[in-house]
């Protein structure tokens, strides 16, 4: 299998690991220096305090050994010994720190290689799928009602290709893309795409979003809303409604996704955004057939933070849960 190989030295996370190891070494060195200075000062003070002029002028008593120390040489010896001890402790701490973070570094590199390879290998099947959908659309008469479904299928393929591009950029450590997106348009698109899934389980999706543009790429905004709505569908009982709403608050858009489920159980609400954290499985028809991995909401938080926003659990109880996204509004003239 061919795939993109990543030079670990070019990854920002590898540089962060190296900086962390160096920082630990410097901090240990600083602590050792402080201890040596304090300890050496106490020793020198005690020696000089004991070595009074009266004692220095007394002749040695029988059985005593007289040792004369030059104060300058004593201070120099203490300084050299302290410097050697501090440097040795710092180097040893740096080596230990590097060995301690090496397994984490290797695991993260393996994860990045997998994401990069998977993203790269999926691009060709997606291109083939898009080409076949385009051929099928060309063979479909304009008046055929299936044409609308084919158009949505081609758009789904394009959206999936954008997700693959985002994953590949993240795997290679590329800087997060900047852009802007029409919040109302993306919300309506997400609701339309997931409506078929929601109807299968007797759940409705309602959208109340005013025309707002946020400073977030459209693909990233779509991924956030899809993850939140998908999670809400898992927890929605038959006959319930998942609501997507938004309002402008200062220089930000507050986007909420709420359900009518039984609330977050089995995990603290503030921990649902931790990777691999998940609570008790929902007892809804859709939720019983799915196994959560605790990844979707963690990705939502990462995408929001990359665009200068945030996500939180605004409310959760026996009558439902509401997630809130805080996204900065796009500035006038900002590139799309």
């Amino acid at each position: 299998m061919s795939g993109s190989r990543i030079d670990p030295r070019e990854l920002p996370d590898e540089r962060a690991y190296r900086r962390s190891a160096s920082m630990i070494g410097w901090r240990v060195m600083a602590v050792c220096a402080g201890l040596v200075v304090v300890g050496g000062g106490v020793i020198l003070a005690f020696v000089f305090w004991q070595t009074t002029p009266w004692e220095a002028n007394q002749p040695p008593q029988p059985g005593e050994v007289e040792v004369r120390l030059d104060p300058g040489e004593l201070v120099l010896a203490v300084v050299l010994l302290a410097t050697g001890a501090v440097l040795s402790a710092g180097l040893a701490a740096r080596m230990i720190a590097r060995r301690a973070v090496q397994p984490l570094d290797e695991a993260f590199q393996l994860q990045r290689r997998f994401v990069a390879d998977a993203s790269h290998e999926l691009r060709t099947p997606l291109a083939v799928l898009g080409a076949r959908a385009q051929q099928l659309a060309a063979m479909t008469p304009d008046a055929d009602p299936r044409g609308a479904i084919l158009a949505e299928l081609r758009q789904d393929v394009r959206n999936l290709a954008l997700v693959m591009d985002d994953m590949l950029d993240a795997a290679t450590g590329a800087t997060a893309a900047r852009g802007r997106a029409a919040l109302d348009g993306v919300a309506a698109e997400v609701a339309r795409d997931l409506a078929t899934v929601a109807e299968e389980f007797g759940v409705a999706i309602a959208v109340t979003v005013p025309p707002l543009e946020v400073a977030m790429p459209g693909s990233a905004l779509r991924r956030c809303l899809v993850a939140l709505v998908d999670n809400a569908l898992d927890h929605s009982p038959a006959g319930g409604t998942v609501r997507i709403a938004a309002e402008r608050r200062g220089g930000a858009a507050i986007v909420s996704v709420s359900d009518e489920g039984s609330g977050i159980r089995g995990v603290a609400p503030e921990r649902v955004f931790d990777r691999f954290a998940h609570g008790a499985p929902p007892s809804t028809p859709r939720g019983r057939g799915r196994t959560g991995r605790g990844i979707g909401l963690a990705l939502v938080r990462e995408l929001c933070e990359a665009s200068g926003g945030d996500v939180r659990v605004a409310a959760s109880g026996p009558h439902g849960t509401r997630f809130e996204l805080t996204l900065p509004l796009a500035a006038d003239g900002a590139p799309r």
Side-chain angles (χ1 to χ4, degrees):
M1 179 179 71
S2 64
S4 56
R5 290 290 179 252
I6 305 170
D7 186 353
R9 294 171 298 180
E10 298 177 357
L11 295 176
D13 298 284
E14 173 66 18
R15 294 193 294 270
Y17 288 139
R18 294 179 182 275
R19 286 196 299 268
S20 298
S22 298
M23 185 62 66
I24 292 174
W26 283 111
R27 289 178 178 175
V28 172
M29 190 181 297
V31 172
C32 291
L35 294 175
V36 168
V37 169
V38 173
V42 171
I43 293 174
L44 290 176
F46 179 78
V47 170
F48 288 130
W49 175 63
Q50 291 292 327
T51 309
T52 61
W54 180 82
E55 290 179 336
N57 294 326
Q58 292 295 320
Q61 300 297 323
E64 292 183 345
V65 177
E66 182 178 5
V67 178
R68 295 187 178 272
L69 297 175
D70 182 79
E73 294 180 352
L74 178 61
V75 172
L76 179 60
V78 172
V79 170
L80 292 177
L81 181 62
T83 303
V86 170
L87 292 176
S88 299
L91 292 175
R94 190 171 186 273
M95 293 177 60
I96 294 173
R98 286 182 63 85
R99 291 181 64 88
V101 302
Q102 185 176 359
L104 298 176
D105 186 15
E106 293 175 351
F108 201 79
Q109 289 181 27
L110 181 62
Q111 175 185 343
R112 282 189 178 275
R113 283 196 296 269
F114 170 77
V115 173
D117 290 344
S119 301
H120 179 78
E121 294 298 329
L122 285 174
R123 292 175 66 89
T124 299
L126 280 176
V128 174
L129 182 61
R132 290 179 176 174
Q134 185 174 357
Q135 289 177 350
L136 186 57
M139 297 168 58
T140 304
D142 294 339
D144 195 321
R146 291 172 293 186
I149 299 177
L150 284 173
E152 293 179 356
L153 177 61
R154 293 174 61 188
Q155 183 60 46
D156 291 339
V157 173
R158 286 192 289 268
N159 291 335
L160 189 54
L162 290 175
V163 172
M164 292 295 102
D165 290 339
D166 291 344
M167 292 175 62
L168 189 58
D169 289 341
T172 54
T175 305
R178 299 295 178 181
R180 58 194 298 169
L183 180 58
D184 53 336
V186 175
E189 180 183 336
V190 169
R192 183 176 63 250
D193 292 345
L194 295 180
T196 304
V197 178
E199 292 172 359
E200 181 181 352
F201 296 95
V203 180
I205 301 178
V207 180
T208 309
V209 178
L212 293 173
E213 285 203 338
V214 295
M216 189 180 202
S219 59
L221 177 60
R222 175 183 170 82
R223 291 173 65 185
C224 289
L225 293 181
V226 166
L228 291 177
V229 173
D230 184 69
N231 179 76
L233 291 176
D234 283 348
H235 292 79
S236 294
T241 301
V242 173
R243 292 179 171 81
I244 308 174
E247 64 175 342
R248 178 171 184 165
R249 191 177 300 171
I254 309 300
V255 187
S256 65
V257 177
S258 58
D259 61 59
E260 298 175 353
S262 56
I264 298 173
R265 296 174 300 168
V267 64
E270 62 272 11
R271 289 197 60 243
V272 297
F273 300 104
D274 295 342
R275 194 173 294 271
F276 305 120
H278 51 83
S283 59
T284 61
R286 185 171 190 257
R288 283 196 299 265
R290 289 164 60 87
T291 302
R293 302 298 182 186
I295 298 177
L297 296 180
L299 291 176
V300 171
R301 180 174 62 181
E302 292 177 5
L303 291 170
C304 288
E305 292 177 349
S307 296
D310 192 19
V311 61
R312 70 185 184 100
V313 178
S316 183
H319 301 294
T321 300
R322 185 174 79 255
F323 289 89
E324 278 190 357
L325 295 171
T326 302
L327 302 174
L329 293 174
D332 295 337
R336 291 185 177 276

